Amino acid sequence: MTAGAGRIAVIGAGPGGLYFAALARQSAPEREITVFERDGRDDEFGFGVVFSDETLDGIAQADPRVFAALSAEFARWSDIDVRYAGRVRTCGGHGFAALDRNRLRAILQRRCAELAVDVRYRTPAPPVERLAAEYDLVVAADGVNSGTRAAYAEAFRPEPDERGARYMWLATDRVFDAFTFIVERFDFGVLQVHAYPYSAERSTFVVELAEEPWRRAGFEALAAREFARGESDAASVRRIAELLAGHLEGHRLIPNASRWIRFTTVRNATWRHRNVVLLGDAAHSAHFSIGSGTKLALEDALALAAGLNEQATLEGALAAYEAERRPVVESTQRAAQASLEWFETIGRRTGQGPDQFAFNLLTRSRRVTYGNLRARDPGFVAAVDRAFAGADETPGLPPMFRPLKLGALELRNRVVVPPLATFTAVDALPSAFDRAQLTVHALGGAGLVLAGMTAVAPEGRVVDCPGLWNDRQEAAWRELVDAVRAVSDTPLGIQLTHAGRRAATAGPAESGLPLLAASPLPWQPEGPLPHEANAIQLAAFTADFAASAERAARAGFDALELQFGHGHLVSGFLSPLTNRRTDRYGGPLAHRLRLPLEVLAAVRAVWPAGRPLLVRISASDWAPGGTSEAEAVAICRALADGGADAVDVSTGEVVAGERPPFGRGYQTPFAELVRLATGLPTVAVGAISHHDDVNSVLLAGRADLVAVGRAQLYDPLWTLHAAAEQGYAGPGARWPEPWAPGSRRPPTPGADRVAPRLRLVREPAPPVHRRWRPGTDDRPAPPERPAPTERPEHHEHPGHPARPERPARPGEER
């Protein structure tokens, strides 16, 4: 026997525990497997569960009998309906397969019985220490409130993250025919529902509200008592039914131990401790808006059973299980976190039109994108494109290639090359490399190219970054701008900054010059201590910014960006973590804003009218006690009132102990926050490197411009290549004439091969739109039927009869 696991104890007879027991016994019949479950065999908990393509493929391969039993009972459909603002927007092509969780458990119970697994119902598991001593392996599938995890907390090192929003898990006997998001605004705030069918008689119906709307709606009072185990909050259920009567259409809500709870994301430093291993929600959880905990638990079970079969030792099997599953789970949790936060803050988006709101919702986790949706349902994306374009713009254009007027400057597209700190300046002058870099980026197709970071004073310079405080530097920049203009008409901008205490990261720019900061706090714990800038220095510093702005205008730059983020000097005044002053520049936000607004006013007075003036901020410090979302909005409102034309919304780099959640587009929600709260144009930044993400950000209304940074270092012609990849050849992406022969993607090996026809009868493409119609035949509807884009709130969609088909595509959220 492999892995030395002859006797296995499983704590919990939910789907994950049962599936693991069946697989482990099936692959090694000599194993002795005991499952302990405190509830009864026929006790019913939960409602429907949704499966992904990958999960079902794994079940089909691992246990065809279980797969066949599941497939016979699936509810299948492909549409998502978004009910919002009295309208319904439908997006098809997704593919879903759902099942009653209790039927799933019954199928797995039957399979365990066939394999002679010893499942002991109404038998609480003995203490885990005892099980660990008596069995070779203990599998803890005991749920999100795992007692096993608590018993070995020092080993597993859990990090539970309980959120503020409240949700309740219900069912209804209204059988929805698609995955349905209901978003309703009431006087108390926004209420949302995640609903989907899971049988011919019922649908799952999850109701969610943010904390304050939940209180204002009166639910706090209704839920203000202890409920017995298994008891539902009947008063809240009645209130929900009243509020959502129009969507229930006379049908009832069905509770099952249903009450208001907060979602907790479970993370553990490790999932294994000696011969004890966590599985499913005991090890990890992901918000219900993107995935099923049951799905993840079944995948865990398969991977753990495979590890026991493939590894020679138990230690090796458990290590292989965690190594294989952890990256998958963490990827899911990142997407789930983005989705969770989107729904927690859904109220800020309810000013959007129905098309854009639906697109925003569908792309909330960053897993589903513009290109992904266009491949699934071209009609849906075309409708959103038309709404985004408005009456005067060409429909069908990728959003990133739509023009934008910023100030008086016309940008041909929405891509910005941000200041790229390559640190090649010599004696604070732009180098030959700086010139080459700006030239190639100007030729590369972006709508706006920003030079920088550029210091306004010698003591504000990071080593090897350029400056703009004297005539020699101004002349060098003018010569550079003229050289770029000789080959490209792409607008050029420059970022001005004073690095403040961050000048210490590479040593003072020039020997003997002081490091200045809002307060005498080092950038790094062991770094040099800066001086607290006094009133005279602050006045000089403000004048330096204005003087450099005048020089930038004379040098011919079309746009200007002021660096008020990333821990530079002005940023140090804005953040409560770095501003400890007690004078008129410290304390409450209105005082911390005084210097930034003085600098902005001085620059605005000298910067030519009509040329865009942007300001970059750090909207979050990613550290406790740092800049809050409300403060970030207030800062941007003040900047708008002070004359900023747009805000470049970044985050972090303010304090050394920051903990940002790095990932694709992780800073974009802050650009969206500012844009929706203030109406000020925003630039989204942060790990955005693919044109699909750029289009998604813009079409969802999260930003007006998107800065693509590191990807431009990989490919300085990034924008032109993005146009070629999308088949776009319009005015938003003009190839330089000498490079015109390269405007099409070059052929790759095998690209000239034409596949022969090998089928006598072509299989019809699956229809984009399919609704759940229990009891109907499996014939597909005519594929030429156009996608619905709007229908009355309660009109029954004719839909398509369901047929067995592949469920969700890889990467699709749940």
Side-chain angles (χ1 to χ4, degrees):
M1 180 174 297
T2 59
R7 300 185 71 240
I8 302 174
V10 179
I11 305 175
L18 290 173
Y19 187 49
F20 166 76
L23 291 178
R25 177 78 171 184
Q26 174 185 287
S27 59
E30 67 275 22
R31 283 190 178 122
E32 177 187 328
I33 302 175
T34 306
V35 181
F36 297 91
E37 172 56 53
R38 66 178 180 177
D39 294 312
R41 177 187 178 90
D42 298 323
D43 292 348
E44 293 193 353
F45 297 100
F47 304 106
V49 292
V50 184
F51 292 95
S52 73
D53 185 26
E54 299 95 331
T55 306
L56 292 178
D57 285 349
I59 294 174
Q61 184 276 330
D63 195 329
R65 295 183 66 173
V66 168
F67 178 76
L70 294 176
S71 298
E73 300 194 28
F74 279 141
R76 294 183 182 273
W77 71 96
S78 67
D79 280 357
I80 296 176
D81 287 350
V82 179
R83 296 175 169 235
Y84 160 78
R87 299 288 186 270
V88 176
R89 294 296 184 264
T90 298
C91 181
H94 297 271
F96 292 94
L99 181 72
D100 185 332
R101 183 182 184 275
N102 295 296
R103 287 298 305 142
L104 166 65
R105 198 160 55 96
I107 290 169
L108 294 173
Q109 286 171 343
R110 186 168 64 245
R111 185 61 175 143
C112 283
E114 292 170 353
L115 294 166
V117 174
D118 181 7
V119 183
R120 302 178 183 179
Y121 289 98
R122 301 198 183 281
T123 307
V128 65
E129 296 89 347
R130 187 173 127 198
L131 289 176
E134 296 177 357
Y135 288 83
D136 299 318
L137 172 64
V138 178
V139 179
D142 49 350
V144 71
N145 297 313
S146 169
T148 306
R149 189 180 64 231
Y152 289 136
E154 290 186 3
F156 295 123
R157 301 192 301 282
E159 294 184 3
D161 177 15
E162 185 180 65
R163 308 300 296 194
R166 308 292 182 119
Y167 72 99
M168 183 182 291
W169 208 281
L170 298 160
T172 176
D173 56 5
R174 176 178 179 185
V175 182
F176 289 92
D177 55 3
F179 203 116
T180 303
F181 291 101
I182 300 170
V183 180
E184 286 283 0
R185 176 176 283 281
F186 296 93
D187 56 357
F188 55 77
V190 177
L191 180 151
Q192 66 253 20
V193 175
H194 314 245
Y196 57 87
Y198 64 85
S199 73
E201 295 84 24
R202 291 187 179 184
S203 300
T204 293
F205 200 84
V206 185
V207 182
E208 185 180 27
L209 296 95
E211 179 82 1
E212 284 308 308
W214 179 81
R215 295 182 189 279
R216 291 193 295 265
F219 288 117
E220 181 179 25
L222 297 177
R225 70 176 180 85
E226 289 292 324
F227 294 92
R229 186 170 186 269
E231 182 185 5
S232 295
D233 181 353
S236 288
V237 175
R238 287 192 295 272
R239 170 80 166 135
I240 293 168
E242 293 169 359
L243 292 169
L244 297 171
H247 297 280
L248 292 170
E249 297 184 347
H251 293 269
R252 64 193 175 103
L253 291 178
I254 303 168
N256 184 341
S258 302
R259 63 192 72 168
W260 293 110
I261 53 178
R262 293 185 174 100
F263 186 82
T264 298
T265 299
V266 173
R267 299 179 180 90
N268 289 279
T270 183
W271 301 345
R272 62 193 196 276
H273 173 58
R274 296 198 292 266
N275 67 333
V276 178
V277 65
L278 303 178
L279 183 147
D281 282 349
H284 48 72
S285 63
H287 193 251
F288 54 82
S289 64
I290 190 174
S292 162
T294 301
K295 164 193 174 318
L296 292 175
L298 295 183
E299 292 172 355
D300 282 358
L302 189 150
L304 179 57
L308 293 175
N309 294 337
E310 295 168 356
Q311 302 298 319
T313 66
L314 179 63
E315 181 180 359
L318 300 188
Y321 156 69
E322 184 165 353
E324 180 177 331
R325 288 295 295 156
R326 184 174 284 276
V328 177
V329 168
E330 290 179 348
S331 174
T332 301
Q333 287 185 320
R334 284 193 296 272
Q337 187 72 12
S339 180
L340 175 156
E341 292 172 359
W342 193 96
F343 279 110
E344 283 184 336
T345 58
I346 194 171
R348 70 177 55 151
R349 301 172 184 88
T350 51
Q352 292 186 318
D355 294 288
Q356 189 171 59
F357 181 87
F359 181 86
N360 199 336
L361 185 152
L362 294 174
T363 59
R364 67 195 179 278
S365 74
R366 301 189 285 272
R367 276 191 169 184
V368 175
T369 61
Y370 173 83
N372 184 274
L373 287 177
R374 189 167 59 176
R376 299 179 191 211
D377 189 345
F380 170 78
V381 174
V384 184
D385 266 330
R386 286 193 297 271
F388 181 77
D392 301 326
E393 304 231 18
T394 306
L397 227 62
M400 64 184 290
F401 293 116
R402 295 194 178 278
L404 178 71
K405 189 171 184 179
L406 197 61
L409 184 63
E410 294 279 354
L411 304 182
R412 67 173 64 101
N413 62 54
R414 307 297 184 95
V415 179
V416 176
V417 178
L420 300 171
T422 47
F423 303 117
T424 60
V426 178
D427 296 330
L429 295 170
S431 67
F433 187 88
D434 288 324
R435 174 180 295 197
Q437 176 172 274
L438 285 173
T439 301
V440 72
H441 283 140
L443 292 168
L448 175 64
V449 176
L450 296 175
M453 59 181 72
T454 304
V456 299
E459 73 278 7
R461 181 181 176 227
V462 175
V463 168
D464 296 334
C465 83
L468 188 49
W469 65 78
N470 62 35
D471 292 344
R472 187 180 174 206
Q473 293 161 351
E474 179 183 329
W477 280 115
R478 186 184 307 113
E479 181 183 352
L480 186 153
V481 170
D482 290 344
V484 174
R485 289 266 164 72
V487 295
S488 172
D489 62 354
T490 297
L492 297 177
I494 189 169
Q495 183 193 74
L496 299 180
T497 189
H498 188 299
R501 66 187 189 141
R502 289 207 61 179
T505 59
E510 294 182 20
S511 178
L513 294 175
L515 293 173
L516 298 177
S519 298
L521 300 170
W523 165 244
Q524 299 285 354
E526 304 302 321
L529 195 68
H531 297 282
E532 180 173 293
N534 59 36
I536 295 174
Q537 290 168 324
L538 293 181
F541 161 74
T542 301
D544 288 340
F545 258 96
S548 292
E550 287 186 287
R551 292 183 182 279
R554 290 195 296 265
F557 283 103
D558 303 291
L560 184 70
E561 178 171 275
L562 304 178
Q563 173 60 288
F564 285 5
H566 291 182
H568 289 225
L569 196 143
V570 179
S571 171
F573 280 82
L574 286 171
S575 172
L577 297 178
T578 52
N579 186 338
R580 308 288 177 81
R581 301 173 74 100
T582 57
D583 62 2
R584 62 196 297 266
Y585 292 99
L589 179 61
H591 291 186
R592 303 200 308 270
L593 266 166
R594 182 167 277 123
L595 179 70
L597 294 179
E598 288 175 355
V599 172
L600 178 59
V603 171
R604 183 75 275 180
V606 300
W607 183 247
R611 298 194 203 180
L613 176 55
L614 296 80
V615 181
R616 172 170 281 212
I617 67 160
S618 288
S620 172
D621 300 331
W622 300 119
T627 301
S628 67
E629 288 190 355
E631 287 181 324
V633 169
I635 289 168
C636 292
R637 283 200 180 107
L639 295 174
D641 293 342
D645 295 302
V647 180
D648 191 344
V649 187
S650 187
T651 64
E653 299 188 47
V654 175
V655 293
E658 67 178 12
R659 295 185 64 185
F662 289 118
R664 274 177 44 243
Y666 73 103
Q667 298 180 116
T668 300
F670 293 95
E672 181 183 33
L673 166 69
V674 170
R675 184 178 189 269
L676 295 177
T678 68
L680 189 65
T682 60
V683 184
V685 303
I688 300 173
S689 60
H690 195 276
H691 59 76
D692 203 12
D693 286 329
V694 174
N695 285 325
S696 299
V697 167
L698 295 169
L699 197 58
R702 298 180 184 124
D704 302 273
L705 294 160
V706 178
V708 178
R710 188 162 298 184
Q712 297 279 359
L713 298 177
Y714 177 78
D715 177 10
L717 306 188
W718 184 92
T719 306
L720 294 178
H721 290 157
E725 289 172 9
Q726 296 174 82
Y728 173 74
R734 295 207 305 263
W735 281 78
E737 187 60 33
W739 289 351
S743 60
R744 294 184 180 181
R745 296 187 71 178
T748 55
D752 57 347
R753 181 182 181 273
V754 179
R757 176 169 178 161
L758 298 175
R759 290 181 177 271
L760 181 62
V761 179
R762 295 186 190 276
E763 287 189 5
V768 171
H769 296 280
R770 187 181 297 281
R771 316 293 284 191
W772 169 232
R773 291 286 190 267
T776 61
D777 62 40
D778 291 333
R779 290 173 298 172
E784 67 272 11
R785 180 182 175 278
T789 57
E790 180 173 340
R791 56 189 171 98
E793 178 68 8
H794 303 302
H795 176 68
E796 185 68 11
H797 192 293
H800 301 285
R803 69 167 183 178
E805 62 174 329
R806 58 162 307 286
R809 291 173 171 82
E812 177 178 356
E813 67 184 63
R814 289 280 144 253

